[in-house]
Amino acid sequence: MQISFFDGSQPLKLNKPIRLIELFAGYGSQALALKYLGVQFEHWRICEWAVKSIQAYKDLHFEADKTDYSAPMSADEVYEALSNAGISSDYETAMTSAQVRRLGEKRARVIYNNIKATNNLVSITNAKADDFNITETDKYLYVMTYSYPCQDISNAGLYKGMKKGSGTRSALLWEVERILKDLKELPQILLMENVPGVLSGRNIGEFAEWLKVLDGLGYKTKWQKLNATDFGVPQNRERLFAVSVLGDYYFDFPNKKGCNTPLRELLETDVDERYYLKGKVVLSLIEHKKKQEAKGNTFGWKPQKIGGGGPPELLIPKVAGVQVQTLSLNYKATEFERLTETSSALCARDYKGYGNQHATAVMEIEE
């Protein structure tokens, strides 16, 4: 049963220039989606505090921007700006002033320049409504995405939940409420993407409360679980999406179209060496598999020498001392099935054995 539904009388139409705001931006997957679809938009604001993700966002979306925004500033001023912004090196906590200084001046200036180039407000907890500069909504369509952290609601997490005031990473959702309620002009469209665990018994009450907040602000919200393999992508990846539209409009999710693309068609045969798996990395994955098996979990790496038994082969290139021999569907950690032309798909998670398909790379370890 839907908790909230559209009852608008007009179909939603994107008939204004789009200004995109990405909260919890990561490397900007929502921006990439718009680019892949050929939709014209302006990067308006983002919130992302993780240093590595900030770098990835800059590389993917603003690579041409070589401006040294830190040039007029002393090293101390750069350190102070980064400390006040609330950058994080571990995706969990903000760096202290001492930790920021240990980055060194050169690295600190790079991070500062990345932040400025990407219109990044950094930590959502420090962002104020006025920072988003949402104006002239009669001329522009503001789309705000808020794919808030899933760790505390994911199957692979510890189920700490997303309750308001709990202090969990997933509870950062309620920072979005704070910002929306303080805005003088609201973004016309909100987009949420998260794991299906949002709808679990542990979290459904908070999700219902969140939809109630959106209703109170004037949004009509529609949500649905979608699987990538139903929309042409050979990956069994199920996610919950919620689209909220301000005003008297309605929106329908697209119909499923299935997937006729075999996984092998997406595997590249000529890959730059910087993307190769190193032998040390593969060995660490094997050790990780052993540790997870000891806990009763599954993990999708199975070492195997060439010429040994195992599943049928799907050959892909040799990678830096490690020959990837096959890529197969793993149903019970020991039973394999060859990838087919129409149903081959990677699984989104191989960590705890949820679901009935798990992608396993069977590899030769050189002696």
Side-chain angles (χ1 to χ4, degrees):
M1 181 180 70
Q2 285 274 6
I3 298 174
S4 182
F5 56 89
F6 271 0
D7 54 3
S9 62
Q10 305 173 58
L12 174 65
K13 293 183 180 180
L14 307 184
N15 52 10
K16 300 175 185 176
I18 295 175
R19 287 178 167 176
L20 180 65
I21 299 171
E22 293 171 283
L23 309 181
F24 315 103
Y27 61 81
S29 58
Q30 288 92 349
L32 283 177
L34 290 176
K35 289 180 180 180
Y36 293 154
L37 290 170
V39 177
Q40 297 297 313
F41 70 96
E42 182 179 359
H43 290 274
W44 194 244
R45 297 289 188 276
I46 72 171
C47 278
E48 177 52 59
W49 73 336
V51 171
K52 291 181 180 179
S53 294
I54 294 170
Q55 182 69 61
Y57 198 104
K58 166 64 165 58
D59 292 343
L60 280 169
H61 304 287
F62 291 89
E63 185 179 15
D65 190 339
K66 308 296 183 183
T67 306
D68 184 1
Y69 297 95
S70 72
M73 304 167 67
S74 68
D76 286 341
E77 288 173 328
V78 173
Y79 294 142
E80 183 179 4
L82 293 181
S83 297
N84 292 338
I87 61 171
S88 174
S89 61
D90 62 2
Y91 293 82
E92 294 187 19
T93 57
M95 298 177 71
T96 65
S97 296
Q99 289 173 324
V100 170
R101 286 183 173 275
R102 284 198 291 271
L103 290 170
E105 181 179 353
K106 182 178 180 180
R107 178 63 177 145
R109 289 186 182 276
V110 169
I111 296 170
Y112 181 86
N113 289 337
N114 289 343
I115 289 170
K116 290 299 181 182
T118 57
N119 302 317
N120 189 358
L121 302 178
V122 194
S123 174
I124 192 170
T125 60
N126 295 333
K128 304 295 188 295
D130 289 345
D131 297 334
F132 293 93
N133 193 27
I134 298 179
T135 60
E136 300 183 291
T137 51
D138 58 326
K139 298 179 181 178
Y140 299 98
L141 181 66
Y142 290 86
V143 178
M144 177 182 283
T145 68
Y146 61 103
S147 298
Y148 59 98
C150 69
Q151 292 95 330
D152 301 306
I153 48 180
S154 171
N155 283 330
L158 299 177
Y159 299 109
K160 294 180 181 179
M162 55 189 232
K163 187 175 182 178
K164 185 188 295 188
S166 64
T168 68
R169 288 166 291 182
S170 297
L172 287 171
L173 164 66
W174 303 101
E175 289 294 323
V176 184
E177 176 193 20
R178 172 183 63 81
I179 291 168
L180 290 174
K181 287 186 174 180
D182 286 345
L183 285 170
K184 295 181 178 66
E185 293 190 68
L186 290 167
Q188 296 97 319
I189 298 176
L190 305 178
L191 171 65
M192 183 206 80
E193 175 268 339
N194 216 306
V195 295
V198 171
L199 300 179
S200 71
R202 300 170 184 265
N203 302 302
I204 192 67
E206 280 71 37
F207 185 55
E209 183 63 27
W210 171 243
L211 294 177
K212 183 179 178 181
V213 167
L214 295 177
D215 289 343
L217 290 170
Y219 288 100
K220 296 179 177 65
T221 301
K222 195 167 190 177
W223 55 266
Q224 188 171 321
K225 288 193 293 184
L226 303 177
N227 196 325
T229 195
D230 292 326
F231 297 93
V233 179
Q235 184 183 27
N236 185 27
R237 185 182 185 88
E238 190 176 58
R239 290 294 182 267
L240 176 69
F241 289 84
V243 178
S244 305
V245 181
L246 192 65
D248 188 31
Y249 300 95
Y250 66 86
F251 165 84
D252 290 315
F253 283 99
N255 295 323
K256 297 178 181 180
K257 65 177 184 179
C259 180
N260 295 315
T261 303
L263 181 60
R264 62 171 61 89
E265 287 188 6
L266 302 183
L267 298 175
E268 297 182 20
T269 57
D270 185 16
V271 181
D272 191 284
E273 283 199 15
R274 62 181 171 161
Y275 298 114
Y276 286 1
L277 291 173
K278 307 298 182 184
K280 183 185 294 186
V281 173
V282 176
L283 292 175
S284 70
L285 289 170
I286 293 170
E287 285 301 310
H288 184 65
K289 174 183 171 66
K290 291 178 181 177
K291 292 178 181 178
Q292 294 307 319
E293 285 181 335
K295 297 178 182 179
N297 302 327
T298 61
F299 187 77
W301 294 91
K302 180 178 175 64
Q304 177 178 307
K305 297 181 183 298
I306 294 293
E313 294 182 1
L314 171 61
L315 297 177
I316 53 180
K318 183 167 182 174
V319 290
V322 179
Q323 174 70 39
V324 178
Q325 184 190 12
T326 68
L327 190 62
S328 305
L329 293 182
N330 174 2
Y331 288 91
K332 296 181 180 178
T334 57
E335 298 176 9
F336 297 87
E337 180 176 304
R338 186 177 178 82
L339 292 168
T340 68
E341 290 295 328
T342 58
S343 63
S344 304
L346 288 175
C347 186
R349 173 176 53 253
D350 299 317
Y351 180 58
K352 292 203 172 188
Y354 296 101
N356 61 1
Q357 293 182 350
H358 294 271
T360 300
V362 183
M363 315 181 76
E364 171 200 13
I365 308 301
E366 288 194 340
E367 303 199 285

